[in-house]
Amino acid sequence: MATRKTSSDDLLGPVTLAVGQEDLLLDRAVREVVAAARAADADTDVRDLTPDQLQPGSLAELTSPSLFAERKVLIVRNAQDLSAESVKDVKGYLDAPVEDITLILLHAGGAKGKGLLDAARKAGAREVACPKTTKPAERLTFVRQEFRALGRSATPEACQALVDAIGSDLRELASAVTQLVADVDGTIDEAVVGRYYTGRAEASSFNVADRAVEGRAAEALEALRWSLSTGVAPVLITSALAQGVRAIGKLSSARGGRPADLARELGMPPWKIDRVRQQMRGWTPDGVAMALRAVAEADAGVKGGGDDPEYALEKAVVAVARAARAGRGGAGR
């Protein structure tokens, strides 16, 4: 999710620097500035440029005074790929920006083009961070912020269910939040998400893992086959299985206490503590160890150590479900 890295909130300041590789957030940073410019002047001239379009000398032409004194927004995408001559032009412009022109530099961050990045920061550019979201917790935070930005309330379980169902694509997550807000009155809960995205939720790796750690072997296998048929990567399923079993193991060995206290101790959100507690019935320490071994074997199988990744996953799912029911005297169903 885009976050401010400077104290300046002036959307129409001389320079906005959007740093990161998350396309949705970069596009939003651009749209926000363009909308503010057009609110100030409906005839704002917007130029969207790629590195090959910003040739040496062209920036001076684009920023030259207009006969009609119109406001301009100049967007330079992939600024890290600008030629050395064009970088020199941009640095020169940063020293003496033109009034009523807002320059937006989109930069991937990192070492490439770092000189321009540093120069823009030194010049006091308004900076927006647009990092790639790589962790489930970051996507969960993004969904919560999306609901909050739209003035709506969603339960933690609903936010998690949406992430589980949609996956890692922020555009799809944002679109799903917008749809739910438009279609549903009141607080959005897990049941609502399930009604809208049940097909995708059933196909998710986390749904396979949830059914397995609950000892529901038949349902877990059905969800697994659906997942594979819809293109879910096998490595995501083994990862979800490992996370589910580890959560059982962590909570089993933790000291008793309130969900909030355990959440801090184990690094889990409180709502997940409640869910894992419900899933723990029937698990034993030996069962956790056995399940983790089975998942590790499946992980090796799907990464090239075996001839049949689907069979390796099925074996792991059955083993996890049996381990979940071992303390109840059952072998799974």
Side-chain angles (χ1 to χ4, degrees), residues 216-226 313-315 317-318:
R216 295 153 64 178
E219 293 177 37
L221 287 170
E222 182 180 356
L224 171 64
R225 291 171 189 133
W226 186 295
L313 285 170
E314 288 182 358
K315 278 182 62 180
V317 164
V318 171

Side-chain angles (χ1 to χ4, degrees), residues 136 164 203-213 227 232-248 272 279 292 295 299 313 317 320:
D164 290 348
S204 77
S205 55
F206 289 102
N207 200 47
V208 176
D210 282 342
R211 301 295 82 78
V213 299
S227 294
V232 175
V235 291
L236 295 180
I237 297 173
T238 56
S239 175
L241 285 168
Q243 289 180 48
V245 176
R246 288 194 192 107
I248 297 286
K272 188 169 183 179
Q279 295 173 333
L292 286 174
V295 174
D299 191 54
L313 285 170
V317 164
V320 170

Side-chain angles (χ1 to χ4, degrees), residues 68-140:
F68 302 102
E70 63 188 353
R71 181 178 292 278
K72 289 183 181 179
V73 175
L74 303 180
I75 305 156
V76 179
R77 298 185 183 273
N78 298 311
Q80 73 279 356
D81 295 330
L82 287 172
S83 67
E85 294 81 1
S86 294
V87 167
K88 185 177 179 180
D89 288 348
V90 174
K91 286 182 176 180
Y93 178 80
L94 293 174
D95 291 333
V98 179
E99 188 177 358
D100 288 336
I101 292 181
T102 297
L103 175 66
I104 306 175
L105 298 174
L106 306 186
H107 195 293
K112 187 177 183 182
K114 189 174 184 297
L116 179 57
L117 197 60
D118 293 340
R121 286 168 172 162
K122 185 177 180 180
R126 167 183 171 269
E127 185 170 347
V128 183
C130 306
K132 198 77 175 175
T133 55
T134 58
K135 299 177 181 178
E138 294 171 344
R139 293 190 282 274
L140 188 59

Side-chain angles (χ1 to χ4, degrees), residues 58-74:
S58 60
L59 184 61
E61 181 181 345
L62 289 166
T63 57
S64 61
S66 166
L67 178 65
F68 302 102
E70 63 188 353
R71 181 178 292 278
K72 289 183 181 179
V73 175
L74 303 180

